[in-house]
Amino acid sequence: MGRILAFIPLAIAAVFGGFFLWGLNPDRDPNNIPSVLISQPAPQFDLAAIEGLETPGLSRADLVDNAGPVIVNVFASWCVPCRAEHGILTQMVEKDGLRLFGINYKDKPEDATKWLAELGNPYERIGSDLSGRAGIEWGLSGVPETFIVGPDGTVLFRYVGPVVGDEAIARFREALEQAGALPRGQNG
């Protein structure tokens, strides 16, 4: 019995080592998290505007009957990667004329308004998700996450993590092209 107990720490270390090696696998893509929302209607939600901000709130109704696809970005002022991708999303709105909606996730209104005042506000609408309930409905694994929603309110694409770096931007722009938000060949 003593020998068996002596091997338990070794077995636990082997299991943790296996998970560690799996995490280092260069073929593993942490952004490739499946979403049950793809090709499904966006979830029902109705979020009030961020207190102290002039930008209107966001609901599922705002995602339906649009002339083209829209981008829904889930962000927070406390999220460092959100800050990194903010300029890229702003540029897509300004340069490409894309429509950007936001869900401010588990963030204090005063922090969100300060963050947007500092970095600029490219969002047409922003819903305040203080409780995180809308995030659960959208199946978030964390922030930032960015969705492309079709004109009929169908979720077409989900990007987990910041849209930062050439590869991520190219992948996101390709999804925008496939959704019809950008003309073909404008990936770059």
Side-chain angles (χ1 to χ4, degrees):
M1 183 67 161
R3 286 186 178 180
I4 293 173
L5 291 176
F7 284 109
I8 289 176
L10 184 60
I12 292 171
V15 168
F16 280 112
F19 280 119
F20 177 74
L21 290 174
W22 173 76
L24 292 177
N25 180 355
D27 296 328
R28 187 179 79 80
D29 182 4
N31 287 321
N32 195 12
I33 299 173
S35 174
V36 296
L37 285 179
I38 303 300
S39 299
Q40 299 296 317
Q44 289 292 336
F45 67 100
D46 189 1
L47 298 172
I50 297 173
E51 189 177 317
L53 195 65
E54 297 295 319
T55 307
L58 180 66
S59 70
R60 185 186 188 292
D62 299 315
L63 304 178
V64 181
D65 294 330
N66 289 296
V70 297
I71 300 169
V72 177
N73 176 246
V74 184
F75 72 98
S77 66
W78 47 262
C79 165
V80 175
C82 297
R83 179 177 283 270
E85 82 171 356
H86 188 80
I88 292 161
L89 295 175
T90 300
Q91 186 179 30
M92 286 181 176
V93 168
E94 292 172 354
K95 180 182 166 202
D96 301 316
L98 299 173
R99 297 184 68 201
L100 179 64
F101 297 150
I103 297 176
N104 185 236
Y105 185 71
K106 293 187 174 183
D107 205 357
K108 295 177 183 171
E110 58 273 13
D111 292 343
T113 54
K114 181 180 173 190
W115 192 80
L116 289 165
E118 177 186 337
L119 299 178
N121 183 358
Y123 299 97
E124 283 185 38
R125 305 182 82 83
I126 304 173
S128 177
D129 187 18
L130 280 170
S131 69
R133 182 69 195 162
I136 292 169
E137 297 297 327
W138 280 86
L140 294 184
S141 61
V143 288
E145 285 194 25
T146 309
F147 298 85
I148 299 172
V149 179
D152 63 351
T154 301
V155 178
L156 303 175
F157 182 78
R158 173 188 184 200
Y159 192 85
V160 176
V163 182
V164 174
D166 293 340
E167 187 177 318
I169 293 168
R171 184 173 170 206
F172 193 72
R173 291 183 72 83
E174 181 181 338
L176 286 166
E177 286 179 5
Q178 291 174 355
L182 290 175
R184 296 276 181 194
Q186 194 174 329
N187 191 356

